[in-house]
Structure formats: structure tokens, C-alpha cells
Amino acid sequence: MRELRIRTLAGLFALALVLSWAVARMWDALGTLPAVPVAAPVVLALIAAVLAATALSIRSRLRAQRERRPGAKGVEPIMAARAVVFGQASALVASLAAGAYGGTGVYLLLTAMDVAARRDQAVYAGLSVLAGAAVVAAAVFLQKVCRLPEDDDNPPAAAAA
């Protein structure tokens, strides 16, 4: 399984931000801008909490297994792989969602801060960006926790010389 890179997530975020800002401009010119749901930051924060709890649980189980504590439950490889896949998928979606809400929020901040409803929408969009960043951070942490140790059987070529 390939490791998910921060550079990829940042690129997706930037692309979604620019496209969302352009679409928000066009949509607002044609009529009313769709609302940013209040549930968006809540759902993203819940996903971040689940990912962080999973990472902390796996980390403590691996630590107990390494220290050979009596009664320590190991981590099944398929369970760790599924957790990493869930984390990577969540990070990809969260970076796109955060970029989309960020673009809408930037548009609202630049154009319509005099209307109270639009100000609230800008706050919800900002909170969604923060929650999306929390999902990405938790997913990267989970990926780091589940990384296999380097294989020590084959020394590097430089050490052999």
C-alpha cells in the first residue's frame, strides 16, 4: 500500500478551493448561493475523532505487544490495513470538502460580510476547513502508527561497502 502524501492532499485542497471560489462567484451572479450546512464541520470533526481514537488504540496495542505485556492483544494485519485505507479515503475526501467549503468561505468573506446570514455561512465554512484539516492530521497520524518497521535483514548498500 502506498503512503498518502501531504503534498497530494494540499494539491487537492488548493484545486477544490479555486474551483469552489469560481463556482460560488458564478452561482451568486445567477441567483442565490447554496448554504453551507451546519452539520458539515460536525461530521468532519466526528470523522477526525474516530480516526484519532483508532490511531491511539492501535498504537497502545502495538506498544503493549512490543513490551510483551501479559494479556496484550495484538493487532491483526488486515485490521490495520483496513484502518489505513479508511484513513486515506477520509483524508482525500476531507481535503476536497475542506477546499470546497474554503472556496465558498473565501468568496463570502470577500463579498458579503454585511449580511448576517452570509456571515454565519462564512463561519460554518471556516469551521469546516478546520475540521477537514483535523481529519487529514488524524489520518496521517493513523498512517504513521500503522507503518511497518524497516526490514533489518537487508542492510543498505552503503553499509555493505
Side-chain angles (χ1 to χ4, degrees):
M1 182 180 318
R2 293 184 56 132
E3 188 172 316
L4 190 60
R5 297 175 186 237
I6 298 290
R7 188 174 42 213
T8 303
L9 297 172
L12 285 173
F13 173 80
L15 179 68
L17 185 118
V18 170
L19 288 174
S20 175
W21 176 78
V23 168
R25 254 184 91 180
M26 182 181 69
W27 201 314
D28 196 33
L30 295 175
T32 61
L33 191 63
V36 177
V38 178
V42 174
V43 170
L44 287 170
L46 285 174
I47 293 170
V50 167
L51 287 172
T54 302
L56 292 173
S57 172
I58 290 174
R59 186 177 72 167
S60 69
R61 288 171 68 183
L62 287 173
R63 183 176 293 148
Q65 187 178 10
R66 258 185 271 124
E67 294 172 357
R68 301 191 191 284
R69 293 185 197 154
K73 290 175 59 175
V75 177
E76 293 183 30
I78 192 71
M79 195 267 303
R82 286 177 180 162
V84 170
V85 168
F86 172 63
Q88 288 181 348
S90 298
L92 289 169
V93 171
S95 64
L96 286 172
Y101 290 129
T104 303
V106 167
Y107 176 76
L108 289 170
L109 285 173
L110 294 177
T111 59
M113 288 306 291
D114 55 339
V115 179
R118 292 240 173 152
R119 227 176 304 130
D120 291 343
Q121 294 297 304
V123 169
Y124 299 148
L127 290 174
S128 297
V129 171
L130 291 176
V135 169
V136 168
V140 168
F141 178 59
L142 175 62
Q143 181 175 265
K144 182 179 180 246
V145 165
C146 292
R147 183 180 301 141
L148 290 174
E150 295 297 323
D151 189 12
D152 293 333
D153 293 339
N154 300 326

